[in-house]
Amino acid sequence: DVIPHEEVGFLTNIAVLAQAIVMAIVVLLLPLARWRTLRAGNAPILRGAIYFASLGLGFLFVEIALIDKFSHLLNDTVSSFAIVLCGMLICSGLGSAWADRFSSAPRGGVRIAVVCIALFCVVFALVLDPLIGIALPWPKFAQIALILIVIAPVSVALGMMFPLGMASLSGGAAPFVPVAWALNGAFSVIASPLASLLAVMFGYRVLFAVACVVYVLALFAQPTPRTATS
């Protein structure tokens, strides 16, 4: 009754973000319980943590920004959510399957994927608004087709990142695999309220910029396949 209606969503995002950060910290600290096992296998703890946390943040930043942008095109947030989410999941799944081509050289595959993601983030920030303005008078089926065409290439690149990261956790780094899954999931949860807050405070172009930065960070932090130390 006291809080203005317009501010409830903003404050709810802050509360959810605080809870998600606490859980993510717990997940980050859990590997310490297996510190000897991870170190004995020469697992890339710091690099792996940065890499998989970056994927959790970056994917959701791109997804949420696209959902909001295309909700203006469709004049319906629910339809935009359904179409963008479905399209990105299918295309990122295809990207995960295609990533197998780079299983012997995951570093090269990650480099290609990050370059594509960065380029699309820049293009989205620059031309998505004018493109939506052009497509506003189009029939609904043409608008949906446009959305799927726009999100398909970047989604394929996004889908390549996780399996290529897992391919890097071979040999002695294998004990880090469950930690990688946990980190990716925890930071995906953080990404949702954080993306909403950033969008409200700075605009959705900032989400594309931050996504670009975290994926470049993931490129430099990517673990490299190792063998266990004797």
Side-chain angles (χ1 to χ4, degrees):
D1 294 334
V2 176
I3 300 173
H5 178 73
E6 294 79 7
E7 297 182 13
V8 171
F10 186 80
L11 294 176
T12 301
N13 276 324
I14 293 177
V16 172
L17 177 60
Q19 296 175 30
I21 289 174
V22 171
M23 295 305 298
I25 291 173
V26 173
V27 172
L28 282 169
L29 294 177
L30 282 177
L32 295 179
R34 302 181 60 210
W35 181 263
R36 292 184 179 179
T37 302
L38 293 171
R39 293 307 301 165
N42 203 20
I45 297 174
L46 179 60
R47 293 171 66 91
I50 294 173
Y51 182 87
F52 289 98
S54 296
L55 301 194
L57 292 172
F59 191 101
L60 267 294
F61 281 0
V62 174
E63 181 183 277
I64 290 173
L66 290 174
I67 289 172
D68 179 80
K69 287 296 183 183
F70 288 124
S71 67
H72 298 298
L73 173 62
L74 299 173
N75 196 29
D76 182 4
T77 301
V78 175
S79 296
S80 177
F81 181 88
I83 294 166
V84 173
L85 180 61
C86 181
M88 288 189 69
L89 289 178
I90 292 174
C91 293
S92 61
L94 294 174
S96 296
W98 190 57
D100 188 57
R101 296 171 177 263
F102 300 95
S103 58
S104 59
R107 182 76 178 174
V110 167
R111 188 179 297 112
I112 293 172
V114 169
V115 169
C116 292
I117 293 168
L119 286 175
F120 275 104
C121 283
V122 172
V123 171
F124 289 157
L126 294 177
V127 307
L128 204 54
D129 285 338
L131 181 62
I132 289 172
I134 294 172
L136 279 174
W138 293 5
K140 190 69 68 178
F141 76 89
Q143 293 176 341
I144 294 173
L146 174 66
I147 293 172
L148 295 176
I149 291 171
V150 168
I151 68 175
V154 70
S155 299
V156 170
L158 290 168
M160 293 173 60
M161 295 293 291
F162 191 85
L164 289 175
M166 284 297 179
S168 301
L169 300 177
S170 59
F176 193 79
V177 168
V179 181
W181 277 98
L183 284 168
N184 184 259
F187 278 85
S188 295
V189 175
I190 288 177
S192 295
L194 181 58
S196 297
L197 291 173
L198 290 175
V200 170
M201 296 169 63
F202 305 107
Y204 278 88
R205 287 184 177 180
V206 170
L207 288 185
F208 291 126
V210 175
C212 182
V213 170
V214 296
Y215 274 107
V216 171
L217 180 62
L219 172 62
F220 288 102
Q222 182 189 4
T224 53
R226 300 179 179 182
T227 56
T229 56
S230 56

